[in-house]
Amino acid sequence: MIPLKRPLSHPSFIFNKSNSKSLRSLIKNTPSTNETFSSPIPIFYFKFSDSTMPIFAANSSSFSRVNTHFPDSVNQPTLTYKAQTFPQIRTFCVKRTNPNAELSASNDIPIVSTVSGPIQTSQPIDAGSSMRKPISLWPGMYHSPVTNALWEARSSMFEKSFAEKDSQTELVAKTPSMSRTSIAYKFSSDYILREQYKNPWDEMRMGKLLEDLDALAGTISYKHCRNDDGATRPILLVTASVDKMVLKKPIRVDFDLKISGAVTWVGRSSMEIQMEVTQSTPDSPDPSDSVAIVANFTFVARDSKTGKSAPLNQILPETEHEKLLWKEAEERNKMRKQKRVAEKKDVDNRDEDRLNKLLAEGRVFCDMPALADRDSILIRDTCHENSLMCQPQQRNIHGRIFGGFLMRKASELAFSNAYAFAGAAPCFMEVDHVDFFKPVDVGNFLRFKSCVLYTELENPMKPLINVEVVAHVTRPELRCSEVSNKFYFTFTVRPEAMKEGLKIRNVVPATEEEARRVLERMDAERSQ
């Protein structure tokens, strides 16, 4: 076997040298310049687009890229004539499952990498195959391997709901186990999957994990709304909020990971789904110590025609653990309602002393900058921004922008902001409660604005950096801009960086509006 020389951007191709003949002799005797050839062993095929340059495409399950880099020094494999048209190749490398099979409640969804490689043995799936239809169910190709698998698992539900217009509308009670779904990440054995989830410091990209959690929560919500006949009533299910998520242990990208979840509580038109991210490592072989993140997603149901709230299937907890989760979720729901009532009250009655104390140093920066504390910085000097057009490839099944996509973009901007502020790679600690105020549609101009809101420096070896990200939905034609989401992330830096003399600066507000935002966040942190 002779490895073929190629640029670093191309995958390795290895061809069998045995019984090979000169490629040029075959080309010389070719009767036409617009033919397709293949080898006896289906390694590759090629087409002569003109009289001088052949185009080669891999025909193995491990190869999916075009290669035109054949050096003169390598003997070419034997080719045989085969008159056929050259097919257009579009590959979508996710392990294929039966699209018509029902998704069982206890199924683990297999996840494979979306890029084929030398150790990848899954068959590529043509993006134009019948498995990808109807096209409205497959909102684009930007998704991660997890969201690809979830769209595939969800497709059977929607194909039934579209085929059966007169599906039953009666509500049924379902157990949490009927919606439970798990996803396994085989990071230890799938190096290409691992490459898609690691950041430049060989750590987990938390933004992609947040995106996957939202996608899995959406799939679970649709499983709960499915009736016994497999049909789904014509309702819209959207992410309303996400409770605070705290990283309980570091997540490593070289060990297998699992996320699982189920519906734990249902109201009239809303439901709560609890998700768990678990990972067993040599440091924590005990299953009780393997939980890295617990996340609670709230989804609301809307009638697809009227847009009003729609009733949901109720929940019937069976085990003691399921009953405990239901009780905890009920308490959280009551607290959310109380919080919304409290937020409507007058917020101007805050402690004026706290407000003035926060503004004191900011006024020095504005009025006497030469005398300002060199270990402090104004909030406005920590700002970063990212803008993008919302493309059709980023939409969900309802034609709106996928909520997990928004969470990932906000997380990545917050990470970049903390990195630029600290001067060292930040470590994710938590993301606070997220509310989805306004839907984001395809074609909207989306702006993410972030800043370091405040820092907590009580522990010099573990300083905390609190980053605010606000997503604005901008419609230039209407000359309007609305807040879609607010995200609050907390990061720290590694102790090794602090030991090397890294110093985190204090952040101070310059305006009363900034000072009120800081106080609101501090009070929200203390109340949790």
Side-chain angles (χ1 to χ4, degrees):
M1 303 290 283
I2 297 180
L4 193 64
K5 296 180 181 178
R6 46 89 187 180
L8 292 176
S9 61
H10 287 261
S12 298
F13 286 82
I14 300 177
F15 294 93
N16 196 332
K17 183 183 175 184
S18 62
N19 300 325
S20 63
K21 295 182 180 180
S22 172
L23 179 62
R24 289 181 177 82
S25 63
L26 181 61
I27 295 174
K28 184 176 181 180
N29 298 325
T30 300
S32 172
T33 61
N34 191 26
E35 301 290 342
T36 301
F37 295 82
S38 66
S39 61
I41 301 174
I43 299 176
F44 67 93
Y45 47 83
F46 67 95
K47 174 187 176 181
F48 291 94
S49 57
D50 56 48
S51 59
T52 59
M53 178 59 69
I55 299 176
F56 293 82
N59 196 30
S60 167
S61 61
S62 296
F63 306 136
S64 63
R65 299 188 183 180
V66 171
N67 179 61
T68 60
H69 302 272
F70 285 86
D72 294 337
S73 59
V74 178
N75 292 333
Q76 307 301 333
T78 302
L79 302 177
T80 59
Y81 175 84
K82 182 179 179 181
Q84 61 183 29
T85 58
F86 183 70
Q88 181 182 3
I89 300 299
R90 294 183 297 166
T91 55
F92 177 60
C93 301
V94 178
K95 187 173 291 184
R96 180 168 184 169
T97 59
N98 184 358
N100 298 318
E102 291 294 329
L103 181 63
S104 65
S106 60
N107 254 1
D108 282 1
I109 298 178
I111 302 303
V112 297
S113 55
T114 56
V115 180
S116 58
I119 64 169
Q120 176 64 270
T121 59
S122 61
Q123 289 289 342
I125 298 174
D126 187 353
S129 69
S130 60
M131 183 179 171
R132 300 281 297 168
K133 296 175 182 178
I135 193 65
S136 61
L137 301 184
W138 299 93
M141 297 296 296
Y142 87 96
H143 301 293
S144 69
V146 171
T147 50
N148 284 332
L150 291 174
W151 288 123
E152 182 177 330
R154 205 182 294 182
S155 66
S156 62
M157 307 180 202
F158 282 93
E159 286 169 0
K160 273 204 169 187
S161 66
F162 290 152
E164 300 176 13
K165 299 293 184 181
D166 300 324
S167 60
Q168 65 182 56
T169 57
E170 294 182 3
L171 298 177
V172 295
K174 307 187 77 171
T175 64
S177 60
M178 296 174 72
S179 64
R180 182 166 296 279
T181 310
S182 302
I183 289 186
Y185 299 74
K186 301 297 183 181
F187 288 137
S188 61
S189 57
D190 191 339
Y191 82 99
I192 298 177
L193 181 65
R194 186 165 63 245
E195 285 292 317
Q196 292 178 298
Y197 278 82
K198 77 175 185 179
N199 66 17
W201 297 273
D202 291 331
E203 297 173 347
M204 174 65 70
R205 287 179 59 186
M206 295 304 300
K208 284 184 71 69
L209 192 59
L210 295 177
E211 181 180 36
D212 293 347
L213 284 168
D214 183 76
L216 179 57
T219 297
I220 292 171
S221 68
Y222 279 101
K223 287 184 68 175
H224 179 78
C225 294
R226 210 172 37 159
N227 293 329
D228 294 335
D229 61 355
T232 306
R233 291 182 296 113
I235 58 175
L236 306 180
L237 291 168
V238 295
T239 310
S241 65
V242 184
D243 284 354
K244 182 175 183 177
M245 285 185 274
V246 179
L247 186 65
K248 298 183 177 181
K249 54 173 283 188
I251 297 177
R252 298 179 58 174
V253 77
D254 53 344
F255 285 88
D256 291 348
L257 186 74
K258 183 177 181 181
I259 58 177
S260 59
V263 176
T264 56
W265 176 89
V266 177
R268 180 189 174 275
S269 60
S270 62
M271 70 177 81
E272 183 174 298
I273 300 163
Q274 185 167 102
M275 316 284 293
E276 278 191 352
V277 180
T278 57
Q279 184 180 61
S280 296
T281 62
D283 300 333
S284 58
D286 189 351
S288 61
D289 298 329
S290 63
V291 178
I293 295 177
V294 176
N296 296 301
F297 286 73
T298 301
F299 279 71
V300 294
R302 296 285 182 264
D303 187 277
S304 59
K305 295 180 180 179
T306 65
K308 297 181 180 180
S309 60
L312 291 169
N313 293 332
Q314 290 302 300
I315 193 80
L316 282 179
E318 294 179 314
T319 67
E320 291 300 322
H321 180 64
E322 291 173 349
K323 292 177 181 178
L324 177 62
L325 292 179
W326 184 92
K327 185 177 180 181
E328 293 174 350
E330 178 73 13
E331 291 297 323
R332 283 192 295 270
N333 184 60
K334 291 179 180 178
M335 290 180 62
R336 290 191 199 102
K337 292 180 179 179
Q338 293 173 1
K339 184 178 179 181
R340 284 194 291 267
V341 172
E343 287 176 348
K344 292 181 181 179
K345 294 181 180 180
D346 187 9
V347 295
D348 291 330
N349 296 326
R350 292 188 179 276
D351 188 349
E352 290 296 326
D353 292 337
R354 294 174 64 203
L355 196 65
N356 291 329
K357 185 177 180 180
L358 271 177
L359 285 170
E361 191 167 343
R363 294 192 179 106
V364 175
F365 268 94
C366 297
D367 300 334
M368 298 171 285
L371 302 178
D373 187 356
R374 293 297 178 262
D375 292 331
S376 298
I377 187 174
L378 292 175
I379 289 177
R380 68 189 183 197
D381 293 330
T382 68
C383 294
H384 288 260
E385 183 174 328
N386 184 21
S387 301
L388 57 94
M389 286 298 302
C390 296
Q391 305 293 346
Q393 293 78 15
Q394 296 149 2
R395 72 187 187 277
N396 60 18
I397 55 178
H398 305 306
R400 287 178 167 163
I401 299 305
F402 183 47
F405 172 79
L406 301 177
M407 294 178 67
R408 176 167 66 85
K409 298 300 290 187
S411 173
E412 291 174 349
L413 178 59
F415 183 95
S416 302
N417 199 338
Y419 187 21
F421 171 79
C427 300
F428 174 87
M429 294 287 292
E430 63 184 46
V431 56
D432 203 0
H433 181 90
V434 179
D435 285 311
F436 292 80
F437 302 119
K438 298 286 184 181
V440 183
D441 296 319
V442 172
N444 286 162
F445 181 49
L446 193 61
R447 301 178 66 187
F448 291 92
K449 299 180 180 180
S450 73
C451 67
V452 178
L453 206 54
Y454 65 97
T455 55
E456 299 175 63
L457 309 177
E458 290 78 8
N459 185 351
M461 297 307 295
K462 193 177 180 180
L464 300 181
I465 305 170
N466 295 273
V467 181
E468 176 191 64
V469 180
V470 182
H472 296 262
V473 179
T474 304
R475 298 177 176 87
E477 296 88 348
L478 302 178
R479 300 176 63 190
C480 70
S481 179
E482 298 177 294
V483 174
S484 169
N485 308 84
K486 288 185 179 181
F487 305 88
Y488 298 96
F489 298 89
T490 302
F491 298 91
T492 187
V493 293
R494 296 175 182 82
E496 303 82 52
M498 301 305 297
K499 290 179 182 178
E500 294 174 358
L502 180 67
K503 190 165 186 177
I504 303 299
R505 301 170 78 177
N506 184 39
V507 181
V508 295
T511 66
E512 185 173 327
E513 183 270 336
E514 290 178 345
R516 292 189 184 280
R517 280 161 52 200
V518 173
L519 288 177
E520 286 175 5
R521 287 308 310 152
M522 289 180 172
D523 292 343
E525 285 290 328
R526 293 192 184 99
S527 65
Q528 294 177 0

